[in-house]
Amino acid sequence: VARGETLMVDVTIGSKFPQAEIAVGPERIAELRVVGDPQASFKATGPGPKSMQTQFKGAEPGLAILSARTPPRDVQYPEDKISGILEEYQVSPEAVRSVAALPSPRVLKAVSTRFAKSFVCVERCEGGSDPTKALGHSVEFVAIDGSAKSFTLLANGAPMTNYPAVIATANGERRHVRTSSKGSVELPSGLTGPVMLFAAVMQPPAEAGGRFKMDLASLTLDRR
């Protein structure tokens, strides 16, 4: 995007990237911010049918990182929804075992928080924000270098090793991958167009009957 030019950004929830599916209401947006350009603006303009409409406008050339966060929210899924949630979110085996051990008929209760990042190049991708630095999200992807081809999945600042993640591509394909022994994941060679990295971390409750803690993280960018 050019400096001073408005870029429309959809804040949405869904499983059919790059399609928008579910609008995020204003009460579910705890944070919209830009990293790397203190004069930039990133603000909501109103809900659309399938997304919260937002506008980004960059003032300085280089990479700007857009960050969105929802407040923690109590959610629950009945027995007939649980298998689909676990298939989509790809959580750890420990979390899967904890869900399996719930008393029947199972109800998965959780506190869910979503963290989203997008890389936007203002005139050029060089300079601006450092994509290798974490923003402080509970779960997030950070670039290993400026090429934005390899990323490390962090949870509370520590690499998530041998952990499931998803690479969603422009044609609607969802590739299930695992991070390396160092917590890294690499985009397939030759990949172009919109790309989303996604991971979910679910921690079992500390006591019986408590709520799971579910943190969902995404990173979107456009490969050219």
Side-chain angles (χ1 to χ4, degrees), residues 54-109:
T54 71
Q55 291 183 347
F56 164 74
K57 188 178 292 185
E60 299 294 333
L63 176 66
I65 299 178
L66 310 189
S67 170
R69 173 175 57 85
T70 67
R73 182 187 187 211
D74 288 349
V75 297
Q76 63 182 48
Y77 305 100
E79 179 73 55
D80 62 343
K81 300 291 186 182
I82 291 176
S83 61
I85 289 296
L86 295 182
E87 180 181 357
E88 180 178 349
Y89 289 167
Q90 296 287 300
V91 297
S92 69
E94 178 191 10
V96 172
R97 289 192 295 268
S98 296
V99 173
L102 291 172
S104 184
R106 297 179 302 168
V107 177
L108 172 57
K109 298 180 180 181

